[in-house]
Amino acid sequence: MSGFTVAIDGPAASGKGTISKAVARHFGFAHLDTGLLYRAVGAKVLDGATAQAAAEALVPGDLEDDRLRSPEVAQAASRVAAVPEVRAALVDFQRSFATRAGGAVLDGRDIGTVICPDAQVKLFVTAHADVRARRRFAELQGKGVETTFDEVLADVQARDARDMGRADAPLKPADDAVRIDTSDMAIAAAVETAISLIEAKMAGSA
């Protein structure tokens, strides 16, 4: 399917990444975790680069950095994402990916509102902050990262405040996005819900 775009937005640890990957596999679409772009920029900033220079020099290989899932890089990513010049430098990359032949799924914070406002399907995946913090805490424990639940919750809340409060492309649902609240939903059910919504849209546009 040429040019069929699925935009999936939502806050940290809402499940949007897992849902996006499953949806992409189901339909055979390409998938881009746009958060990795900002994490890669954040990692470069931690190494001493300026945010704008890091964004403008980003190459696909930078997305393979093993550090990108660390809490330090996550915080750095949230900070650089608030820099308008960084967002502008990454827009073309994301839009080009979104229009590729064969369909594409992009997940992030501003896909349905800014990057792909004309996406055929827009989903906003969310969950209560304490639920998202428990998920992230379990993930970090599994990786051997030493932290506490209270620290993870504070981190989630701080990222939410930055993402939702920034002047440039704040995190919010697109007006025509369908909300999926995963607070009390098993991941399989959330994936099934997303797939059903996309199939209905495909059938309507056929």
Side-chain angles (χ1 to χ4, degrees):
M1 177 169 293
S2 178
F4 192 95
T5 306
V6 178
I8 302 181
D9 291 307
S14 59
K16 68 180 182 298
T18 303
I19 292 171
S20 297
K21 291 172 187 172
V23 163
R25 281 196 303 270
H26 180 84
F27 292 102
F29 291 171
H31 171 247
L32 177 64
D33 173 358
T34 64
L36 282 181
L37 302 177
Y38 293 96
R39 284 174 179 261
V41 173
K44 286 179 173 291
V45 168
L46 291 177
D47 289 338
T50 65
Q52 183 174 352
E56 292 173 348
L58 201 67
V59 295
D62 293 327
L63 305 183
E64 306 300 324
D65 190 328
D66 290 338
R67 297 178 299 161
L68 298 191
R69 294 297 181 185
S70 72
E72 294 78 15
V73 169
Q75 282 286 356
S78 185
R79 289 192 291 270
V80 301
V83 179
E85 292 81 5
V86 169
R87 305 196 72 84
L90 299 178
V91 164
D92 288 343
F93 181 96
Q94 295 172 79
R95 286 181 175 163
S96 176
F97 187 95
T99 56
R100 62 171 55 198
V105 180
L106 289 81
D107 71 80
R109 302 289 198 280
D110 64 345
I111 309 304
T113 54
V114 175
I115 303 301
C116 302
D118 297 324
Q120 285 84 350
V121 176
K122 299 177 190 176
L123 305 177
F124 190 84
V125 181
T126 189
H128 300 311
D130 60 331
V131 172
R132 292 186 284 120
R134 281 200 298 273
R135 293 172 182 167
R136 184 53 52 85
F137 181 55
E139 177 187 346
L140 292 173
Q141 280 190 312
K143 293 179 179 178
V145 177
E146 291 189 11
T147 187
T148 67
F149 172 77
D150 287 342
E151 288 174 336
V152 175
L153 177 60
D155 174 62
V156 165
Q157 292 171 330
R159 289 178 66 185
D160 285 353
R162 273 198 301 272
D163 292 342
M164 296 176 185
R166 64 184 178 229
D168 188 44
L171 168 65
K172 63 179 182 179
D175 291 340
D176 53 347
V178 178
R179 280 178 77 97
I180 300 177
D181 190 325
T182 65
S183 298
D184 300 309
M185 184 182 288
I187 191 61
V191 169
E192 185 176 335
T193 297
I195 288 173
S196 295
L197 289 166
I198 295 166
E199 287 178 337
K201 189 67 175 182
M202 287 177 165
S205 61

